[in-house]
Amino acid sequence: MIDRRNIQHLYIRLLQKIKNFLFSTQSREFLVFLFFFFIAAGFWLIQTLNDDYEVELSIPVRLKGMPNNVVITSENATDLRVRVKDKGTVLVNYMVAKSFLPITLNYNDYKTSNNHIRVFASQFEKQVQARLSVSSVVRSIKPDTLEYIYTTGKSRLVPVKLRGKVHAGRQYYISDTVYSPDSVLVYAPKHVLDTITAAYTVPVTLDDVTDTLKQQVSLAIVKGAKFIPEQVEVTLPVDIYTDKTVEVPVYGTNFPADKVLRAFPAKVNVTFQVGLGRYRYITADDFVVHVSYEELMRIGSRKYTVKLKSVPRGVSNIRISPEQVDFLIEQVSPNGN
């Protein structure tokens, strides 16, 4: 066990050594040296930042005001690389701020009859300069010409579909996928529009989901097409599984008029998993167990392995008890006696 008195003694000795150093002649000389060093460094930095330098800045550019049916088909620059000359103090401010308001170009100001927009640097240089200090000199702008190739597309309403993998947690399941809106308009040239049957979301991967999930998801980009809107709200309702058992009668089908099926037992227990939300809606009437006369004639046995001929949506992990039933084909008189 550590002795507290020893720790206290070491602490006092350490403080005393620090105190002795700070009040010693060597310490005073060192602190004076540091003082003058930082003053000299400050003067040097100020002098250095007063010189002129050049840096390349990135300024975003956006084309606004496009009608819904206008689809950009070319690869477009999203940023301008602007080379600027100014004093170091100004350039440091640019680099600290890191972002500029985007340069905005209005579609209606530049649209042409040949569906090809060209905007030269001289046409947006004033907007660039307005985002810089008055003392800054623009040395170059790249690209020096912005080009947009577009087409006026036709439209069609297409359904939204989720792309990706969504896995519910243990004993849970995704009961539905709800989109808002569930359909979107797609604008594209006819040869592209004819190939689009649905608007798929960007890939989504979700694991161990145990509660209803709602989130905005972007639609995947299709070259030469434009979706309106570009995002949809996806809701994934989550339900929990529970077991339920119902008694289902065994029926005979396609039997001759003078024969009837006698099954032992006449009913089987069907146990299955279903979500709590659908628990009370699933009944024995949703399951069908029937045996055809032809099938019984083929098996050559008095035991029949029970098979479900109809299963309701939303159930899983179905078990039947007993798995086999004994049967007897009984001869009856045509008048039912």
Side-chain angles (χ1 to χ4, degrees), residues 2-227:
I2 300 174
D3 193 338
R4 290 185 179 179
R5 287 177 297 178
N6 288 340
I7 294 175
Q8 190 175 24
H9 180 66
L10 290 171
Y11 178 70
I12 292 172
R13 286 183 60 188
L14 181 61
L15 285 179
Q16 187 63 44
K17 286 184 178 181
I18 293 172
K19 183 178 178 181
N20 291 340
F21 173 76
L22 291 176
F23 286 97
S24 66
T25 303
Q26 295 90 339
S27 174
R28 284 196 297 272
E29 290 175 354
F30 178 69
L31 292 175
V32 169
F33 166 78
L34 281 181
F35 174 76
F36 285 106
F37 172 79
F38 284 117
I39 288 178
F43 279 119
W44 174 82
L45 183 61
I46 292 171
Q47 184 63 38
T48 300
L49 290 178
N50 269 331
D51 293 338
D52 287 343
Y53 298 93
E54 288 188 13
V55 296
E56 188 173 85
L57 306 175
S58 180
I59 301 179
V61 61
R62 303 288 183 266
L63 183 64
K64 300 292 186 181
M66 291 183 297
N68 286 339
N69 66 329
V70 170
V71 181
I72 301 294
T73 59
S74 59
E75 296 291 334
N76 309 305
T78 57
D79 294 276
L80 298 174
R81 300 189 307 279
V82 182
R83 191 153 194 85
V84 176
K85 181 179 180 181
D86 208 331
K87 293 192 179 299
T89 50
V90 177
L91 300 181
V92 166
N93 286 333
Y94 291 150
M95 289 183 284
V96 170
K98 291 186 179 179
S99 61
F100 295 88
L101 289 174
I103 304 296
T104 56
L105 307 174
N106 194 302
Y107 165 82
N108 290 318
D109 295 338
Y110 302 101
K111 65 180 180 178
T112 62
S113 58
N114 64 355
N115 293 3
H116 191 169
I117 293 175
R118 284 189 179 91
V119 187
F120 301 103
S122 58
Q123 294 174 275
F124 53 78
E125 189 172 359
K126 286 185 179 180
Q127 286 199 60
V128 173
Q129 190 66 61
R131 283 152 179 76
L132 304 174
S133 173
V134 177
S135 60
S136 297
V137 178
V138 176
R139 308 290 287 188
S140 66
I141 300 176
K142 295 180 181 179
D144 58 3
T145 303
L146 296 172
E147 293 193 70
Y148 301 91
I149 300 172
Y150 64 92
T151 181
T152 304
K154 295 183 178 181
S155 67
R156 188 170 73 223
L157 200 64
V158 294
V160 176
K161 292 187 179 180
L162 183 68
R163 176 175 285 161
K165 296 180 180 179
V166 181
H167 301 289
R170 184 180 175 86
Q171 290 298 316
Y172 293 86
Y173 74 103
I174 309 297
S175 61
D176 201 356
T177 303
V178 182
Y179 307 98
S180 181
D182 60 1
S183 299
V184 297
L185 274 173
V186 55
Y187 292 88
K190 187 177 184 306
H191 71 279
V192 176
L193 192 63
D194 290 343
T195 65
I196 300 174
T197 57
Y200 290 93
T201 67
V202 295
V204 174
T205 302
L206 299 168
D207 293 312
D208 199 29
V209 179
T210 58
D211 199 4
T212 296
L213 192 65
K214 182 183 291 187
Q215 66 181 45
Q216 292 287 330
V217 182
S218 298
L219 298 177
I221 295 172
V222 176
K223 188 175 181 180
K226 180 165 70 172
F227 295 103

Side-chain angles (χ1 to χ4, degrees), residues 259-312:
K259 291 182 173 59
V260 68
L261 173 69
R262 303 294 184 192
F264 307 97
K267 293 183 179 181
V268 293
N269 289 324
V270 178
T271 302
F272 52 91
Q273 285 190 327
V274 64
L276 281 176
R278 291 180 53 81
Y279 184 88
R280 61 182 178 144
Y281 299 107
I282 305 296
T283 66
D285 294 336
D286 296 310
F287 299 87
V288 175
V289 177
H290 60 70
V291 187
S292 70
Y293 180 75
E294 295 82 1
E295 189 177 1
L296 292 182
M297 291 298 97
R298 285 197 305 268
I299 62 177
S301 170
R302 292 296 178 182
K303 285 188 176 291
Y304 174 74
T305 301
V306 178
K307 300 171 187 174
L308 287 170
K309 306 298 183 182
S310 178
V311 177

